Amino acid sequence: MAIHIRLKQFDGPLDLLLHLIGKAKIDIKDIFVSEITEQFIAVVSGAPDFDLDAASEFVAMAALLVEIKSRALLPKPPKTDEEEDPEQVLIARLTAYKQFKESAQTMSSFEQTALQLYAKLPEEIPLPPPTLEIDGLTLDALWLALRRIAERRPKEEREVDYRLRNIRRDCYTVEGCMEVIQSRLSIGEATFDELFCDVPGREEVVTLFIALLELLKLGKAYVTQGAAFDRIILHPGRRQGFGLE
Amino acid sequence: MDLNEAPHAIEAILFVSGESVGVPELAQALGLSEMETMHAVEALQKEYESQTRGIALKRYGDHLKLETRVEYAPYVERLLQPVQRQSLSQAAMETLAVIAYHQPTTKGDVEQVRGVKCDYSVQSLLHKGLIQEVGRKEALGRPILYATTDKFLEHFGISDVRELPPLPVLHSAAPDDEPPLTP
Amino acid sequence: MDLNEAPHAIEAILFVSGESVGVPELAQALGLSEMETMHAVEALQKEYESQTRGIALKRYGDHLKLETRVEYAPYVERLLQPVQRQSLSQAAMETLAVIAYHQPTTKGDVEQVRGVKCDYSVQSLLHKGLIQEVGRKEALGRPILYATTDKFLEHFGISDVRELPPLPVLHSAAPDDEPPLTP
């Protein structure tokens, strides 16, 4: 009997076995009194697309079939309770597989009907901005939050390191320097250099400079310069008629 | 909202959505309980059925969807090219059958029944949203348990897995020519 | 086709199409004359109008379309964009409390009271609309002043910040059992 079958057509050895059983028109339980084992081996060994990786399950099944056949030729050892008869196990597996294969066919017919149920595409809807609702906003919760802060503070302060160290008094404050600059400007323009004493320290320079920037930002003074590296002149008030400032 | 208005609000929502909508989301949008929502759904379903309408309200598990009635499919297909869903391959269908009837179940169980590796078909079914992971089996290796989804029901046009026909009874290992043992 | 079935076949076609469909195309798909089709359309239209349905059949010249009724739009929006519920973190609640009682106040002040950086919680409160910028403090760096919003009042169920409960008695930095140092 010539069999032209490609293994790829089958979803595994059980599928192929069921196919052969169906072709031979026999019952599953008669598989070992038939030629199915020989046909199975013939298909697997003769498969043109034989690829051990893909066919390993088929080969394993062929080995099992041969084992079951050869057992049948030997006198049967007395059966123990735990020992499962590989023939019965295989028949049970084939039966179970056949059940699911048939169910899969029924499901396919359900699928075919369902594929004819049409829905519409979702509409495109411009959505308003998402609304956010906030839970747990109660006056009690707010009050408790304040208590938490209050109770935390003294504890944290106790953790302060009380080692002795020298702290130099800040001689210059930004607010102080702002007053100095403003009082100087109240009598007219001034140059940047004359704000500083003869030998200014780093603290004085930095603080005065920040104070000046602050005044510029508040619009209480403005600066002009004739050319690059020229003297910087400070003027009181906001700069007038200067386009995009 | 007014309970008398609910069925038609549901109709409007499902119409706009196009896709299936979960009962909890629907209930939230309507400001109703899930129970009240399901009552409204049933009222709407009855309304559709009493008049052989062109569209039907389908329930797939916990999801609802408006769909055309199958008898009008030829007219729809004649005029429009509706988006056709893909049918499943034989391998995927077999894997799905084992999961549907044994759920929750593991890949190992499916492989045991089918006699082949099922990694690919399980992945593809997960990807299509027809099955989902539902936990792990308390067994060696704690394998993942799979079950079918509401999308599975939608794909097969049934409201509940129990609508699948029971597994066919086959004359298995016990030969039928032997009379059953009776006391 | 059976003329009695035509209205529902039209419903099925319009439903799937989602767009407006011309009467000639409908007639062709149904295998009916345009006259017969228009009769079926009118029958369907009557059916829709006699019941306050969630969807309506609209006629634009000789084109037909199924649309949702406007009155149900809010439900649709709520489904597609459910209200997000969130609660304030402990940090944000503390920041809000300090701002509520000290308003208008700066981030620096809040940080001073809470003893931690408050950039994130101030941003989050701004984003949630519970506080707003109300100007700048005439101080170094002109820091932004924050105050609570009307939404804040609404959420806490009060009509004025003066309705806030009195500040808790603080065991503050200066323990009150020690007499203050006087020169």
Side-chain angles (χ1 to χ4, degrees), chain B residues 1 8-9 11-13 15-17 25 28-29 31 47 51-55 66 68 72 75 78-80, chain C residues 1 5 8-9 11-13 15-17 21 25 29 47-48 51-55 66 68 72 75-76 78-79:
Chain B
M1 80 172 306
H8 296 132
E11 183 179 41
I13 289 175
F15 179 83
V16 172
S17 307
E25 290 83 50
Q28 210 187 8
E47 203 180 297
Q51 321 150 359
T52 38
R53 297 283 307 272
I55 45 186
L66 283 185
T68 55
Y72 299 113
Y75 304 109
R78 212 178 295 167
L79 185 66
L80 312 161
Chain C
M1 79 174 303
E5 270 200 312
H8 295 134
E11 184 180 39
I13 290 174
F15 171 74
V16 177
S17 153
V21 178
E25 288 84 52
E47 208 179 291
Y48 271 95
Q51 315 151 358
T52 38
R53 300 281 307 273
I55 43 186
L66 282 186
T68 48
Y72 298 112
Y75 301 110
V76 174
R78 258 160 70 187
L79 176 84

Side-chain angles (χ1 to χ4, degrees), chain C residues 96-168:
Chain C
L96 186 59
V98 177
I99 293 173
Y101 281 91
H102 290 216
Q103 60 187 310
T105 189
T106 65
K107 181 156 62 73
D109 286 338
V110 179
E111 288 174 347
Q112 182 72 29
V113 175
R114 288 194 55 218
V116 280
K117 289 295 253 174
C118 298
D119 304 77
Y120 181 77
S121 53
V122 165
Q123 273 313 308
S124 138
L125 292 170
L126 277 172
H127 180 74
K128 293 188 170 74
L130 294 171
I131 60 168
Q132 62 188 337
E133 299 183 5
V134 291
R136 283 173 181 272
K137 190 172 176 179
E138 287 301 336
L140 183 63
R142 292 179 38 78
I144 297 167
L145 286 165
Y146 297 100
T148 55
T149 60
D150 287 351
K151 196 168 169 189
F152 167 88
L153 297 175
E154 192 183 310
H155 272 296
F156 284 93
I158 52 176
S159 47
D160 195 291
V161 281
R162 277 168 298 189
E163 288 174 37
L164 287 174
L167 271 176

Side-chain angles (χ1 to χ4, degrees), chain A residues 165-172 201-204:
Chain A
R165 64 199 131 175
N166 287 323
I167 300 171
R168 220 156 42 94
R169 177 191 288 276
D170 281 343
C171 299
Y172 298 91
R202 186 164 56 179
E203 192 190 338
E204 184 190 349

Side-chain angles (χ1 to χ4, degrees), chain B residues 7-163:
Chain B
H8 296 132
I10 292 172
E11 183 179 41
I13 289 175
L14 293 179
F15 179 83
V16 172
S17 307
E19 291 156 2
S20 57
V21 176
V23 174
E25 290 83 50
L26 198 58
Q28 210 187 8
L30 297 173
L32 295 179
S33 72
E34 288 189 25
M35 179 86 101
E36 289 167 325
T37 306
M38 277 316 293
H39 280 308
V41 165
E42 278 156 27
L44 184 60
Q45 237 166 349
K46 266 198 200 110
E47 203 180 297
Y48 275 116
E49 271 156 32
S50 67
Q51 321 150 359
T52 38
R53 297 283 307 272
I55 45 186
L57 173 58
K58 292 302 209 47
R59 185 177 71 84
Y60 298 122
D62 213 15
H63 283 78
L64 301 160
K65 196 179 178 192
L66 283 185
E67 281 175 341
T68 55
R69 264 182 209 283
V70 73
E71 47 267 50
Y72 299 113
Y75 304 109
V76 172
E77 286 160 8
R78 212 178 295 167
L79 185 66
L80 312 161
Q81 283 82 45
V83 188
Q84 276 276 3
R85 285 171 294 177
Q86 288 283 309
S87 49
L88 297 172
S89 69
Q90 192 196 321
M93 194 63 93
E94 284 182 19
T95 299
L96 198 51
V98 179
I99 294 174
Y101 283 94
H102 281 194
Q103 61 186 317
T105 192
T106 64
K107 182 156 62 72
D109 181 46
V110 179
E111 290 175 346
Q112 175 66 28
V113 173
R114 294 192 55 220
V116 278
K117 289 297 239 174
C118 298
D119 304 77
Y120 179 77
S121 54
V122 165
Q123 273 312 310
S124 137
L125 292 171
L126 274 174
H127 182 74
K128 291 190 169 78
L130 297 172
I131 58 169
Q132 62 187 342
E133 299 184 3
V134 290
R136 284 174 179 273
K137 191 172 176 179
E138 288 301 334
L140 187 63
R142 293 182 36 81
I144 297 168
L145 285 166
Y146 298 99
T148 56
T149 60
D150 283 356
K151 204 158 173 202
F152 163 87
L153 299 173
E154 192 176 325
H155 188 87
F156 291 96
I158 53 176
S159 304
D160 194 292
V161 276
R162 277 167 296 193
E163 284 178 36

